[in-house]
Amino acid sequence: TLQSDSAGLGTKLETVGAIASDTGKKMTTSLTVPIVGLGAAAVKSAADFETAFTGVRKTVDETEENYKRLSDGILEMSERMPTAATEIAGVMEVAGQLGIRGVENLLNFTETMVMLGDTTNLTAEDAATSLARVMNIMGTAESDIGRFGSTVVALGNNFATTEAEIVMMSNRLAAGAKLAGFTEAEMMALATAMSS
């Protein structure tokens, strides 16, 4: 009987071993592989962001401390907005190319353009490029970018035209409107009327 009990115990241990082995294989497949994949994705995401932020460094002349503030600001925006940090960095790069200066101005401009990209038919980079040009021509203060963006959205929501059409028409009219002595509000009103 001792021999049959030992044989039974051996069979049970083999069964437990097989179950443990199968469980280990399943855990490796369903846990370890995805965890390694997440780690690789995180490393790639960080590398992509560093590459994108290099573009900001090319167009924005700041101290290392301010670059850190800009980088932190971009990452913070990406956590609360439905836009990737790499895309936000691309918008800030365009802002630098178009002459937006100062950490707060760059962060405000970038956030406004990303919001326009998220809520209108404009892409964030198109909004940045077009509105910065209009602002440069009209002499708009960089601190007024939020007001400028809000105006575009309000006009697009209340008239038979889109934000993209208003911005495109504003680009066409800005130089002539400035020479004619129009205010920004008058120029935006004319662009809205003409595009609708």
Side-chain angles (χ1 to χ4, degrees):
T1 75
L2 184 57
Q3 191 175 13
S4 66
D5 286 344
S6 293
L9 181 60
T11 303
K12 288 180 183 176
L13 286 175
E14 283 179 17
T15 303
V16 169
I19 291 171
S21 176
D22 186 48
T23 302
K25 287 178 188 173
K26 287 180 181 174
M27 287 184 74
T28 297
T29 303
S30 59
L31 289 178
T32 305
V33 172
I35 289 171
V36 169
L38 285 173
V43 168
K44 182 177 179 344
S45 178
D48 289 347
F49 176 69
E50 285 304 315
T51 300
F53 196 73
T54 300
V56 173
R57 285 179 173 273
K58 286 189 315 189
T59 64
V60 174
D61 186 24
E62 284 293 344
T63 64
E64 282 305 313
E65 179 183 330
N66 285 341
Y67 282 134
K68 174 83 170 106
R69 289 176 56 203
L70 292 172
S71 175
D72 290 347
I74 290 169
L75 293 172
E76 186 271 329
M77 280 184 233
S78 73
E79 290 174 5
R80 62 183 168 79
M81 302 171 92
T83 306
T86 53
E87 292 176 46
I88 297 171
V91 173
M92 189 174 285
E93 178 181 353
V94 170
Q97 286 173 334
L98 297 169
I100 306 298
R101 297 291 174 250
V103 172
E104 292 307 315
N105 289 335
L106 283 162
L107 291 171
N108 290 337
F109 181 88
T110 301
E111 183 169 353
T112 300
M113 295 307 111
V114 170
M115 282 197 265
L116 282 172
D118 289 342
T119 59
T120 69
N121 66 333
L122 289 162
T123 68
E125 287 192 15
D126 287 344
T129 302
S130 298
L131 289 180
R133 287 179 180 155
V134 171
M135 289 173 59
N136 285 338
I137 292 168
M138 296 302 291
T140 307
E142 292 175 354
S143 58
D144 288 337
I145 186 57
R147 181 180 58 84
F148 207 80
S150 295
T151 301
V152 171
V153 172
L155 291 170
N157 287 343
N158 291 297
F159 292 91
T161 187
T162 66
E163 292 84 355
E165 292 169 328
I166 294 168
V167 169
M168 184 174 63
M169 187 61 71
S170 295
N171 264 311
R172 292 180 179 161
L173 295 174
K178 179 71 173 178
L179 289 172
F182 282 35
T183 65
E184 294 152 323
E186 292 167 336
M187 185 268 304
M188 295 294 285
L190 181 60
T192 301
M194 291 180 74
S195 63
S196 63

